[in-house]
Amino acid sequence: MSELKLKKCPFCGGPAEIVDNSRYDPGTYFVGCLYCGARSDYEHGEENAAELWNGRVESNGD
Ligand SMILES: [Zn+2]
């Protein structure tokens, strides 16, 4: 699977990463900001988590 693109954090502009949440809910992931700790809701599958994160970020022309 190719690398998923994540938008920058909508709150601080920091980098985001996909986090495996399967220890709490198997098969789920969320996207979290490495700087401020903002995160998306849990989704099944990395792609869905990435889409959720990207969808909540308003583009500033980046
Ligand atoms: Zn942030």
Side-chain angles (χ1 to χ4, degrees):
M1 184 174 293
S2 62
E3 187 175 332
L4 295 168
K5 291 189 175 181
L6 298 172
K7 291 186 178 180
K8 292 178 181 177
C9 175
F11 303 107
C12 74
E17 68 169 3
I18 292 180
V19 180
D20 185 348
N21 189 55
S22 59
R23 65 179 292 187
Y24 300 109
D25 192 358
T28 63
Y29 300 81
F30 63 88
V31 178
C33 173
L34 294 175
Y35 284 3
C36 74
R39 68 185 194 185
S40 71
D41 290 331
Y42 308 145
E43 280 288 340
H44 284 274
E46 294 175 88
E47 288 185 348
N48 290 331
E51 283 187 10
L52 182 66
W53 173 264
N54 290 338
R56 71 185 282 172
V57 178
E58 292 299 324
S59 174
N60 291 320
D62 182 41

